């Protein structure tokens, strides 16, 4: 079975500061990893994804994430936070086997950006 | 390009009333379709998914049901709503085709906010 753990249900940063949202996963097969963003009362939007190949993945809005197999991590970073980054962020994993048709989501991290 | 629609956007219903939420996808064929619920502070809960017309998999026993009458239409229903059915309902689609492929990137609709009073 797959699982995702997002450390910190709420992260608060100042505008211009580094954003770091943590995600650890467990998977018995090579994982496909995703970060989604959700703004209030909206659906989820894909920020970036890791499938195969380069372990540093760049996404939209200046975000990037690095797949570290040895640490089973896929942390999301952005060098300089902007007020518009305030939202909830979800890490997710998918893979083969019985759960092939599903995404397993973390519980989400709410990002607050202070002026 | 592909688009996904959900309606209504918001809904306020009394306890015990029926429910029907609709989701349609355009621009793709034979998508996998999903219903999720977000209750306050509880993350995303997968309710149902469908890999084809008439094929519904239920993830949790509950007061809800799902149907897929057409290839790109997915409906979430209830005969009698409970207070606990309140939440934000999201429909999503993906195109994962083979059981050995794990790239299940999903695309989400705008959601329906359901309040049961």
């Amino acid at each position: 079975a797959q699982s995702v753990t997002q450390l910190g249900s709420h992260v608060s940063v100042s505008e211009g500061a580094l954003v770091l949202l943590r995600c650890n996963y467990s998977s018995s097969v090579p994982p496909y990893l995703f970060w989604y963003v959700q703004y209030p009362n909206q659906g989820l939007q894909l920020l970036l994804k890791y499938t195969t190949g380069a372990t540093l993945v760049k996404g939209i809005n200046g975000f990037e994430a690095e797949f570290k197999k040895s640490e089973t991590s896929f942390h999301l970073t952005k060098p300089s936070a902007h007020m518009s980054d305030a939202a909830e962020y979800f890490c997710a994993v998918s893979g083969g086997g019985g759960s092939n048709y599903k995404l397993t989501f973390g519980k989400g991290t709410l990002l607050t950006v202070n002026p | 390009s592909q688009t996904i629609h959900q309606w209504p956007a918001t809904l306020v219903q009394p306890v015990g009333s029926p429910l029907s939420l609709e989701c349609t996808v355009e621009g793709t064929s034979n998508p996998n379709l999903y219903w999720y619920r977000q209750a306050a502070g509880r993350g995303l809960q997968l309710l149902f998914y469908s890999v084809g017309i008439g094929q519904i998999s239920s993830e949790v026993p509950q007061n809800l049901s799902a149907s897929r009458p057409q290839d790109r239409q997915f409906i979430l229903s209830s005969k009698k709503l409970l207070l606990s059915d309140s939440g934000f309902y999201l429909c999503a689609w993906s195109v994962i085709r083979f059981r050995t492929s794990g790239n299940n990137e999903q695309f989400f609709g705008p959601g329906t906010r359901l309040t049961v009073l």
Side-chain angles (χ1 to χ4, degrees):
Chain A
Q2 297 171 321
S3 66
V4 175
T5 302
Q6 291 185 238
L7 296 176
S9 60
H10 189 189
V11 170
S12 182
V13 301
S14 299
E15 191 173 19
L18 171 72
V19 175
L20 170 61
L21 304 182
R22 300 178 186 273
C23 172
N24 288 90
Y25 70 91
S26 77
S27 177
S28 59
V29 298
Y32 294 80
L33 295 159
F34 307 85
W35 275 101
Y36 286 86
V37 61
Q38 185 181 30
Y39 299 100
N41 291 311
Q42 295 186 25
L44 276 67
Q45 178 184 5
L46 183 70
L47 268 180
L48 49 79
K49 63 182 178 183
Y50 169 78
T51 54
T52 59
T55 56
L56 182 62
V57 180
K58 295 187 184 298
I60 61 172
N61 302 337
F63 284 93
E64 62 182 34
E66 186 171 10
F67 170 58
K68 291 187 177 181
K69 183 178 179 180
S70 61
E71 299 177 8
T72 61
S73 70
F74 190 57
H75 302 330
L76 182 70
T77 60
K78 181 174 181 177
S80 177
H82 191 271
M83 296 296 291
S84 61
D85 295 326
E88 189 155 25
Y89 293 79
F90 292 92
C91 181
V93 62
S94 71
S99 61
N100 196 47
Y101 294 108
K102 304 179 205 175
L103 275 178
T104 300
F105 285 91
K107 294 186 183 300
T109 298
L110 182 64
L111 176 66
T112 302
V113 182
N114 303 307
Chain B
S1 64
Q2 300 90 0
T3 56
I4 178 169
H5 305 278
Q6 288 186 244
W7 62 89
T10 60
L11 192 59
V12 180
Q13 292 285 94
V15 169
S17 64
L19 172 73
S20 180
L21 302 182
E22 190 166 343
C23 170
T24 58
V25 180
E26 297 176 355
T28 188
S29 297
N30 195 26
N32 303 309
L33 296 171
Y34 305 84
W35 278 113
Y36 291 88
R37 176 170 61 200
Q38 281 184 297
R42 296 189 63 183
L44 280 160
Q45 181 185 30
L46 178 62
L47 302 175
F48 302 94
Y49 69 94
S50 171
V51 300
I53 295 174
Q55 301 179 60
I56 309 294
S57 296
S58 175
E59 287 297 290
V60 292
Q62 59 202 320
N63 186 40
L64 301 169
S65 62
S67 62
R68 185 170 177 174
Q70 300 180 39
D71 181 44
R72 290 169 289 177
Q73 184 185 32
F74 205 24
I75 296 173
L76 184 69
S77 304
S78 174
K79 292 182 179 178
K80 290 186 178 181
L81 283 168
L82 306 172
L83 287 174
S84 58
D85 292 323
S86 293
F88 192 52
Y89 287 82
L90 289 162
C91 182
W93 68 273
S94 73
V95 293
I96 188 170
R97 290 283 182 253
F98 307 108
R99 291 192 62 81
T100 57
S101 172
N103 184 2
N104 192 14
E105 178 180 352
Q106 293 181 14
F107 303 88
F108 286 80
T112 295
R113 174 73 60 190
L114 172 65
T115 303
V116 182
L117 301 175

